[in-house]
Structures are given as structure tokens and as C-alpha cells.
Amino acid sequence: FKEASRQAYTFAPRDEEPDVEINTALFISEFKKRGYSVETLGEGLLKVKKDNWFGITNIYFSSLFCDKACENIHPAKKILALEGFPVLRGLRFRVSEMPQALAYFERLGPPCILTVIHPRRNSSLLVDSRKRLITAWRKAVNQGARYFIIEEHLPGRNICVAVVAGQFAGAQMLLPASLSGDGEQTLARLIENKNEARLLNPWYRDKLLPDAGHFEELFKAAGYRPDDIPPQGERLSLESEALLELGGEAVGLKNYLHRDFEDRAVEAVKAIPGLELAFVHLVIPRPAEAAANQRWAVKRIETRPEPASFHFPWRGEPYNLVEKIVDKLCLSERTL
């Protein structure tokens, strides 16, 4: 994957469907290739028509149970653990249980991942001290947090595996967004360069990096200021590998991930009742080696996956995931 280069994309879904979200636009494009006319109905529903036949299909294939269990993390982890899957050790705490959470944090040993379960949006951060945990906890409570999850931090690569209709459908590695010094340009300019490159990628054009001021503390910890010039070849990560706060940068993989993990991802999805399309996020120290030779874990399962990340990776080989979803799910007996 280190040799995987950035792709130049000649097709962008918004060129054909400017008013439609990129993932939905990919489905519309795929159906049109097959001779169907398509109408969007909202909430991921599509009305497709061809000759004298029409049907209602979806771009998501889960249930409310799947969505809630995986969104709240802890219920899905319990199901997976009961089925024998390795998950990150962790416990859930109510907002009133800070003393118990602190004791558990010290027992696990820092750094740990603190996830705030909020009615509007979950968020995670890496905490390396008791003081930082207390500060983050109190701030989240004031913002209406429902409860917290404290998990161990397992070093390893972030691998995203797509599972469609009970079959492995592709994998990608998510690397932290980073800057690479050239000995000539400032950190601020390097961020601008990266955003200019992101504008050329249909998936990343709406995911531009914040300006250099956002990373001031990160730069300071590395001994830099935004207007400093890093030496040639020095790489500076803009997010942690444990959390990928900015979403990471996808590298398309082909024949790289060991078959063990392909199979285990498929089995993990089958363990969640009613789930037919998902992204399984794994933490693996050495993805090309057998599962039995290392400690790895299922990090989370995504029930509302966005196939565009496979179609337009930051580096590596693109993969037409929507074609497989349409074949295996949209145009199957599941269509009404």
C-alpha cells in the first residue's frame, strides 16, 4: 500500500446528478447503465422502472435494531463478544458514574478511548491522563451526553471491510491524514496543497481539511508553528490512528488483506440479526498475516455505509462496490 498512488478520476457522480448526495448518485448511475429510470423517494429509497416493470428498492439494508445496536456501539460489542469475536475491552458508564469510570480507566491503563454517546452525534477522543478524562467527561455532561464508553487502545491498522449479502465485497485501509515536508513550503501551505488535491477527488472534495490554525496545538507538540517549513520527507500526522478524527484517507487494497479477516468480517455481520450490507471496521497490527498470529479486534460495524469511499479512494485502486450491491441486494427478491 505504500506504493499506491493517487488516482485521477474522470467521472464524478455530481456531473450527472448535481442535486443528489454522492452515494445516491452512484446508485442512480448504476441503474441508468442497466437501462432503468430512477426516482429518489428520500431516506435512501429509490423507485426504479424499466419497460413495464417498476419497483421500490433501497441503498441501505439493515433494520432499526441493527442501526441502534451498532450506533450505540456497546450493544453490538456484546453481541459480537458472545459470538466469540475479539472486541476492544471496554465498559459503558452512566453520566453519574464518573468514580467507577476513573477506577476502570486506571485499571485498563492509559491511553484509552473515551466515546461520548450523545443524542445528536457520538464523538471519541484519546485520553492519556485522569485529568483529561475528568475534563472531557464534565464538558460532555454539560452538552447533554447520555452515557460514556471507555475502551482500551489497541495499536494497529484501521481496515474497513465491505460485506454485501453475506459475502466479502472489498477492503480498504484507512490511514491518518498527514503532511509530508518538502523543505520549501510551510505547514500552512502544505494544508492548502492537500485541499487543492482533495477538490479533484469526488469523495474528498466535500471533506476539506481545516486551516492551519485548527492544528496549532498539534504543530506545537511536534515543535512547529504553522508558518514553519518542515524538512524534506518529514511526515506529520493530522489525526491519531486510534480515532481518525478527520475520517482518515482511504487506500484501496487488492489481494492484500489476509483471507482470515475477510471471512471473520463476513461472520461478524451475520452475528447481527437482519444486517445484509455493512462496513466492518477492524484494528489489525499486520493485515497481511493470519489472524491466529496476532491480536486484533472488531472496532465497530457501520450499518449505513457510504460506498463512494470505495469508488474514490485517496490512493490505490478504485472498486465499484455499488455494482455488487445492486446485483446482490437491490435487484433481488428484496425489491418490492
Side-chain angles (χ1 to χ4, degrees):
F1 68 90
K2 290 181 180 178
E3 290 75 34
S5 59
R6 274 218 314 270
Q7 295 283 339
Y9 297 102
T10 57
F11 163 74
R14 286 186 180 173
D15 295 342
E16 299 178 1
E17 304 289 340
D19 299 323
V20 179
E21 182 269 336
I22 185 171
N23 293 284
T24 303
L26 284 170
F27 279 90
I28 293 173
S29 175
E30 183 63 33
F31 276 113
K32 285 184 175 179
K33 284 181 192 174
R34 298 164 185 248
Y36 291 87
S37 61
V38 187
E39 179 184 346
T40 59
L41 302 178
E43 296 298 320
L45 289 173
L46 300 175
K47 180 179 178 179
V48 294
K49 184 177 180 181
K50 187 176 183 180
D51 301 325
N52 295 322
W53 178 94
F54 78 89
I56 305 296
T57 188
N58 204 350
I59 66 173
Y60 307 117
F61 292 86
S62 66
S63 66
L64 183 60
F65 168 79
C66 300
D67 294 342
K68 289 297 182 183
C70 294
E71 179 187 358
N72 292 331
I73 303 172
H74 202 63
K77 284 180 62 176
K78 281 189 172 183
I79 294 171
L80 292 171
L82 287 170
E83 293 293 326
F85 289 91
V87 295
L88 298 175
R89 287 181 300 159
L91 285 179
R92 184 176 61 182
F93 298 91
R94 293 190 295 270
V95 294
S96 60
E97 295 179 319
M98 185 193 287
Q100 296 92 319
L102 289 170
Y104 184 70
F105 170 75
E106 291 172 351
R107 198 157 66 244
L108 274 183
C112 291
I113 299 171
L114 174 69
T115 298
V116 180
I117 305 298
H118 193 278
R120 289 195 299 274
R121 183 176 180 272
N122 298 343
S123 61
S124 298
L125 67 155
L126 203 61
V127 290
D128 54 7
S129 69
R130 179 187 177 97
K131 180 179 179 181
R132 190 171 183 203
L133 175 58
I134 293 172
T135 301
W137 188 288
R138 288 174 175 167
K139 180 179 178 181
V141 169
N142 291 335
Q143 293 175 344
R146 292 167 56 195
Y147 51 86
F148 300 85
I149 298 173
I150 296 179
E151 297 174 302
E152 65 176 329
H153 165 45
L154 175 64
R157 295 295 189 184
N158 290 282
I159 303 295
C160 175
V161 178
V163 177
V164 179
Q167 297 178 352
F168 169 79
Q172 57 184 198
M173 182 181 295
L174 298 175
L175 298 177
S178 62
L179 302 176
S180 183
D182 61 3
E184 297 179 1
Q185 300 182 86
T186 66
L187 288 167
R189 181 58 202 165
L190 290 173
I191 289 178
E192 292 173 6
N193 291 347
K194 174 147 282 199
N195 279 335
E196 289 170 5
R198 285 191 169 212
L199 286 170
L200 301 177
N201 181 299
W203 174 239
Y204 286 94
R205 66 174 53 165
D206 294 328
K207 297 169 178 58
L208 300 184
L209 301 173
D211 61 27
H214 176 86
F215 302 103
E216 195 164 353
E217 288 300 316
L218 184 150
F219 293 156
K220 184 178 179 181
Y224 290 111
R225 293 172 301 179
D227 56 354
D228 286 340
I229 299 174
Q232 173 79 31
E234 178 160 344
R235 187 168 293 276
L236 185 64
S237 291
L238 299 178
E239 55 186 337
S240 68
E241 191 152 36
L243 300 178
L244 299 178
E245 299 91 335
L246 302 172
E249 292 178 338
V251 181
L253 302 177
K254 187 176 181 181
N255 302 323
Y256 174 75
L257 185 65
H258 195 282
R259 178 64 185 269
D260 284 356
F261 297 111
E262 297 178 5
D263 294 341
R264 294 297 273 162
V266 170
E267 293 165 7
V269 172
K270 289 180 179 178
I272 309 293
L275 187 57
E276 297 183 285
L277 169 64
F279 285 175
V280 182
H281 293 265
L282 308 173
V283 183
I284 312 171
R286 301 180 301 281
E289 298 180 19
N293 298 339
Q294 57 190 310
R295 186 174 173 230
W296 61 280
V298 179
K299 191 174 184 179
R300 64 187 175 93
I301 294 180
E302 197 175 347
T303 63
R304 296 281 173 129
E306 299 182 291
S309 64
F310 277 77
H311 286 247
F312 308 108
W314 181 245
R315 290 194 285 129
E317 298 186 43
Y319 181 74
N320 189 342
L321 186 57
V322 166
E323 179 183 45
K324 186 159 284 191
I325 297 170
V326 170
D327 278 338
K328 300 292 184 181
L329 293 172
C330 295
L331 293 179
S332 68
E333 67 277 5
R334 298 162 181 82
T335 303
L336 300 177

